[in-house]
């Protein structure tokens, strides 16, 4: 479980996050949504400890992350897997070496066990047999999959995904979404996904937090997102002409 | 103010290198990779620079020594001493600042803007320790060896050109070089080599580590790494000469 308690972040004079509080439960996919510039990425960086908040707490289990010493933080970080927007694969390593890297760095497995784990992770993301490919030979979707394989290599308790669908075609996006959801449920991971893709939200989101200008204006489940009174969320959800049309038809039908 | 801000941040970054490695084997592997890249990868350019520096020094020294009563062995003494004191350590380091400095800054800078450094930190890895530590250590281990090679080739280049062009017979050249050799000069030269190695690698790593933005900024950081490393080498060269000679 991860809990945000009254988190505030400022850059110089500008407050980009205003007193955010939320709770993310294990075995659920938690979506942080909002338009560009709403503070999603800053919040994600605070959650994983890359930025420290100016106020408030980020609690992992029972520990306030920013109160921990370096060793404590490292221990929690070993339980974190992260999929980056651009995958952030290590350019100098091939697919196998990328997934192997966290295992070699931290696990106490034998070399053979490590390789078995690498092959299992690659198989799990549908990339069995791609071990020796260089990262420059991968498509956008494959890079994301390798990123996921690397993120789950150490069997994390927490999985963070920053814009997992950016730059992907709709079909590949759905596959990546399904993969994130399956992995979350299989291992009871606490997953937090940063996205502005409403397809993803409706596909895999169990718990949704809507950020608007650094404020958490709405939290709830996807079942309630369509009939919310929050105007800013409505504007965000029904931003496309296609969805506006659906809502119009739906309202007409109801009337 | 600007200078002290960067100096402080540079020192704080260096402090982060002295943390226990998460996995000694991986750090050692990275050190060997860097030693190969910095050391073996620079042999070619160092050879060319050294041989031609020595050759030019021989020709120009002979040109300036027009008095017939001066022994030609002096050319050997001047070329070997210049190679040992200045051409070997300083000129080689300035060239390496261009080659290695830009490479280190652009490699680390690219890792920064593509979030690879963030990925390391989120994994719980001490990113400066893993990325910068092996590079500095590799530079400290290999650049002094490259400078020894440079000094040798510079002197040899001068000697060969002296012999081939008839400026100074090789026996006289060697006689002059031997007569002027002082062990202390070798110590001074190696002190410079170690100092310059540290400056090139650490300044370049600093420039790359704090890049913000995209590919344009990585290019700028790479250029700044070369400029600041070169200036630092020249300043340190003067300070060491003042202190040790």
């Amino acid at each position: 479980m991860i809990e945000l308690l009254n988190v505030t972040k400022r850059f110089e004079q500008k407050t980009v996050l205003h007193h955010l509080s939320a709770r993310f439960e294990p075995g659920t996919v938690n979506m942080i949504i909002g338009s560009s510039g709403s503070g999603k990425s800053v919040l994600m960086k605070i959650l994983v400890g890359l930025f420290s908040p100016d106020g408030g707490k980020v609690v992992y289990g029972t520990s306030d992350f920013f109160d921990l010493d370096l060793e404590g933080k490292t221990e929690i970080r070993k339980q974190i897997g992260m999929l980056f927007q651009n995958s952030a694969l290590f350019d100098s390593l091939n697919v196998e070496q990328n997934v192997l890297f966290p295992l070699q760095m931290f696990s106490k497995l034998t070399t053979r066990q490590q390789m078995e784990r690498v092959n299992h992770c690659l198989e799990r993301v549908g990339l069995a047999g791609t071990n020796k490919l260089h990262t420059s030979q991968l498509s956008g979707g494959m890079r994301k999959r390798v990123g996921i394989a690397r993120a789950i290599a150490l069997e994390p308790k927490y999985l963070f995904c920053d814009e997992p669908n950016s730059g992907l075609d709709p079909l590949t996006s759905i596959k990546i979404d399904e993969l994130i959801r399956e992995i979350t449920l299989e291992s009871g991971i606490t997953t937090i996904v940063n996205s502005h893709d409403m397809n993803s939200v409706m596909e895999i989101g169990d718990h949704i937090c809507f950020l608007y200008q650094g404020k958490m204006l709405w939290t709830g489940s996807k079942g309630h997102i369509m009939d919310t009174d929050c105007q800013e969320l409505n504007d965000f959800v029904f931003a496309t002409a296609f969805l506006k049309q659906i809502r119009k038809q739906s309202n007409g039908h109801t009337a | 103010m600007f200078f002290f801000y960067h100096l402080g941040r540079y020192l704080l970054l260096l402090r982060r290198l002295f943390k226990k490695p998460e996995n000694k084997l991986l750090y050692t592997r990275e050190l060997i990779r860097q030693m190969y890249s910095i050391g073996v990868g620079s042999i070619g350019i160092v050879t060319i620079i050294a041989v031609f520096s020595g050759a030019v020094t021989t020709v120009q020294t002979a040109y300036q020594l027009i008095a017939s009563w001066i022994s030609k062995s002096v050319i050997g003494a001047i070329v070997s001493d210049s190679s040992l004191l200045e051409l070997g350590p300083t000129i080689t380091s300035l060239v390496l600042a261009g080659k290695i400095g830009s490479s280190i800054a652009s490699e680390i800078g690219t890792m920064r803007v593509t979030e690879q450094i963030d990925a390391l930190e989120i994994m719980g890895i001490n990113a400066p320790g893993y990325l910068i530590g092996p590079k500095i250590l590799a530079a400290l281990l290999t650049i002094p060896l490259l400078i020894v090679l440079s000094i040798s080739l510079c002197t040899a280049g001068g000697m060969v050109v002296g012999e081939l062009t008839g400026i100074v017979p090789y026996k006289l050249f060697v006689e002059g070089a031997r007569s002027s050799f002082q062990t202390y000069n070798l110590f001074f030269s190696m002190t410079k080599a170690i100092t310059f190695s540290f400056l090139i690698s650490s300044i370049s790593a600093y420039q790359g580590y704090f890049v913000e933005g995209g590919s344009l900024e990585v290019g700028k950081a790479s250029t700044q790494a070369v400029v600041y490393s070169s200036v630092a080498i020249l300043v340190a060269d003067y300070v060491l000469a003042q202190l040790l000679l």
Side-chain angles (χ1 to χ4, degrees), chain A residues 52-143:
Chain A
S52 46
D54 292 307
K57 293 178 178 180
V58 177
V59 181
Y60 279 81
T62 54
S63 314
D64 177 3
F65 183 83
F66 293 98
D67 261 1
L68 294 170
D69 58 12
L70 189 68
E71 275 184 23
K73 282 180 181 163
T74 303
E75 280 311 308
I76 286 190
R77 280 179 163 149
K78 285 181 198 169
Q79 301 168 28
I80 292 177
M82 180 150 182
L83 171 63
F84 286 84
Q85 189 170 351
N86 296 313
S87 306
L89 301 180
F90 301 126
D91 295 332
S92 56
L93 308 178
N94 64 23
V95 168
E96 178 182 286
Q97 290 164 335
N98 262 284
V99 183
L100 189 60
F101 186 80
L103 289 165
Q104 284 184 320
M105 196 58 98
F106 292 116
S107 83
K108 292 190 168 66
L109 300 175
T110 63
T111 309
R112 188 176 173 173
Q113 288 169 327
Q114 286 177 359
M115 282 314 300
E116 281 171 6
R117 179 72 191 150
V118 168
N119 289 329
H120 169 77
C121 291
L122 286 175
E123 205 171 300
R124 185 65 198 82
V125 299
L127 288 178
T130 59
N131 299 44
K132 301 299 174 193
L133 287 181
H134 197 266
T135 52
S136 59
Q137 296 173 282
L138 304 176
S139 67
M142 288 168 87
R143 291 179 71 88

Side-chain angles (χ1 to χ4, degrees), chain B residues 68-157:
Chain B
S68 57
W69 49 270
I70 298 175
S71 166
K72 288 200 171 174
S73 66
V74 171
I75 296 172
I78 289 174
V79 172
S80 63
D81 274 358
S82 303
S83 304
L84 187 58
L85 291 171
E86 200 63 19
L87 295 174
T90 310
I91 301 298
T92 306
S93 294
L94 286 171
V95 171
L96 290 178
K99 185 187 177 291
I100 298 168
S102 61
S103 161
I104 290 176
S106 57
E107 183 185 329
I108 296 177
T110 304
M111 289 188 78
R112 167 63 74 195
V113 300
T114 55
E115 296 182 310
Q116 292 177 52
I117 292 180
D118 289 348
L120 285 173
E121 288 188 347
I122 289 168
M123 282 179 199
I125 295 163
N126 175 24
Y130 180 68
L131 290 177
I132 300 174
K135 286 182 173 62
I136 292 180
L137 196 52
L140 287 169
L141 292 171
T142 57
I143 292 180
L145 293 178
L146 287 170
I147 287 173
V148 169
L149 176 74
S150 171
I151 293 165
S152 312
L153 290 175
C154 192
T155 309

